[in-house]
C-alpha cells in the first residue's frame, strides 16, 4: 500500500518542500505528475502528485498482482471503477473514497522512524479513511473484505483499525465522521506530540485542533489536513 498526497499545481512546490522537511526524506526524479519521497533506508511508500483540481487531499494505492482482475472483484464488493489504463485502475469505495489499483511492487525493508534533535522521533505510518456516519458500517465491511485484514477496536468508538498480518509501512484506520464527504488523510506517529507539532508549525503548518494527550490536527501549506498522534513510531 502506498500513500499519495495530491496537490493542485499552484501549491505543489511548497507542499513538496514541506513534506520533505517533515519526513526527512529526499525526492526521486519526477515521473510525469508525481515524485516519490525517498527515505535514507527502507522502501518508499509515500508520493506527491500534482492534480488539476482543488482541494489538496490524499489517496491510497493498493498494490496487486493484476489490477484488472482485482478491479472486477472489488466492483462485486461495492466499488465503482472510474478509469483504467495498462497497470492502473482508478476506483471509488462505496462512500466515494478514491483509491487506485496498481501492479504489485515487491517491498523488502521497512522505513525506520526519523530521529530529530534530542530524543524526538516521528514517522508517517498510517492512512486514515474519513467516512461519514451513514456509510461507516458499510465501509468497514468493504475495506475488511478488500484487505483481508483483521478489525481491531480502538478506545474511541469512532475509530476502527484494520490490522495487517505482518508489519507494513502504513496501516489503515477507519474513522466515523460527522461530515458529508468521505476522504483520506495522513497520520504521523511520534514520541512527543507537542514537540513534533512545534516542529511542523516552524516548517509552515498551522494547528487546526488539539486533542490533549492523543493527537493534533494540522494543515500543511497546501491546505491539506493531517494528524500528529501520540502513537509510538516504533510499533
Amino acid at each position: 500500500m502506498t500513500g499519495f498526497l495530491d496537490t493542485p499545481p499552484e501549491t505543489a512546490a511548497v507542499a513538496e518542500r514541506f513534506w520533505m522537511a517533515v519526513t526527512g526524506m529526499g525526492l526521486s526524479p519526477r515521473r510525469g505528475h508525481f515524485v516519490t519521497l525517498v527515505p535514507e533506508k527502507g522502501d518508499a511508500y509515500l508520493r506527491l502528485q500534482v492534480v488539476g483540481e482543488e482541494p489538496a487531499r490524499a489517496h491510497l494505492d493498493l498494490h496487486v498482482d493484476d489490477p484488472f482482475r482485482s478491479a472486477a472483484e472489488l466492483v462485486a464488493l461495492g466499488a465503482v471503477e472510474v478509469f483504467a489504463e495498462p497497470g492502473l485502475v482508478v476506483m471509488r469505495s462505496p462512500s466515494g473514497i478514491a483509491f487506485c489499483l496498481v501492479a504489485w511492487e515487491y517491498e523488502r525493508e521497512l522505513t525506520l522512524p526519523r530521529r530529530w534533535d534530542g530524543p524526538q522521533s516521528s514517522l508517517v505510518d498510517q492512512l486514515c479513511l474519513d467516512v461519514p456516519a451513514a456509510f461507516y458500517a458499510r465501509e468497514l465491511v468493504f475495506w475488511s473484505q478488500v484487505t483481508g485484514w483483521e478489525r481491531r477496536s480502538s478506545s474511541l468508538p469512532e475509530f476502527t483499525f484494520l490490522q495487517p498480518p505482518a508489519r507494513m509501512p502504513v496501516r489503515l484506520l477507519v474513522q466515523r465522521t460527522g461530515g458529508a464527504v468521505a476522504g483520506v488523510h495522513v497520520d504521523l506517529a511520534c514520541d512527543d506530540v507537542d514537540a513534533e507539532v512545534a516542529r511542523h508549525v516552524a516548517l509552515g503548518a498551522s494547528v487546526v485542533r488539539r486533542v490533549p494527550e492523543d493527537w493534533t490536527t494540522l494543515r500543511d501549506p497546501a491546505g491539506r489536513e493531517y494528524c500528529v498522534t501520540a502513537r509510538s513510531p516504533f510499533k
Side-chain angles (χ1 to χ4, degrees):
M1 188 163 57
T2 300
F4 268 80
L5 300 171
D6 301 322
T7 313
E10 295 80 8
T11 51
V14 69
E16 290 176 4
R17 291 193 296 270
F18 175 79
W19 285 99
M20 285 176 64
V22 161
T23 61
M25 298 181 188
L27 284 186
S28 72
R30 195 170 300 276
R31 293 175 57 190
H33 294 294
F34 72 87
V35 292
T36 300
L37 287 166
V38 181
E40 290 184 358
K41 188 177 182 182
D43 293 309
Y45 62 94
L46 194 61
R47 296 189 170 101
L48 296 113
Q49 179 174 233
V50 179
V51 296
E53 67 281 346
E54 296 182 349
R57 55 194 182 274
H59 80 267
L60 65 149
D61 279 9
L62 300 177
H63 296 246
V64 298
D65 291 327
D66 184 334
F68 296 101
R69 185 181 65 199
S70 294
E73 294 170 352
L74 269 57
V75 166
L77 296 176
V80 175
E81 184 176 317
V82 177
F83 171 79
E85 63 180 29
L88 168 71
V89 182
V90 180
M91 309 199 75
R92 289 193 180 274
S93 73
S95 71
I97 292 175
F99 66 98
C100 298
L101 302 175
V102 297
W104 183 66
E105 296 178 9
Y106 184 69
E107 295 164 340
R108 301 174 180 83
E109 186 175 5
L110 291 174
T111 300
L112 296 176
R114 177 64 184 262
R115 188 168 296 281
W116 308 102
D117 293 339
Q120 171 68 4
S121 299
S122 64
L123 179 71
V124 174
D125 75 332
Q126 186 166 265
L127 297 173
C128 181
L129 309 180
D130 302 314
V131 183
F135 292 94
Y136 188 69
R138 178 69 186 89
E139 203 76 4
L140 265 180
V141 171
F142 174 77
W143 288 101
S144 298
Q145 292 174 324
V146 168
T147 62
W149 296 354
E150 181 181 356
R151 296 189 212 174
R152 183 166 63 82
S153 299
S154 166
S155 58
L156 298 173
E158 64 267 31
F159 295 117
T160 302
F161 294 100
L162 292 178
Q163 192 73 32
R167 189 179 174 195
M168 295 180 64
V170 284
R171 61 182 190 171
L172 280 178
L173 173 65
V174 185
Q175 176 180 208
R176 184 178 68 243
T177 72
V181 180
V184 180
H185 75 260
V186 167
D187 287 344
L188 291 91
C190 69
D191 297 319
D192 184 325
V193 170
D194 289 341
E196 184 70 5
V197 167
R199 187 176 71 85
H200 288 221
V201 169
L203 293 170
S206 57
V207 173
V208 177
R209 69 186 68 88
R210 296 180 186 268
V211 179
E213 300 182 3
D214 285 319
W215 73 85
T216 294
T217 302
L218 297 106
R219 187 175 287 115
D220 76 2
R224 176 183 17 248
E225 290 191 6
Y226 67 99
C227 293
V228 169
T229 76
R231 190 176 53 259
S232 170
F234 294 96
K235 293 183 179 179

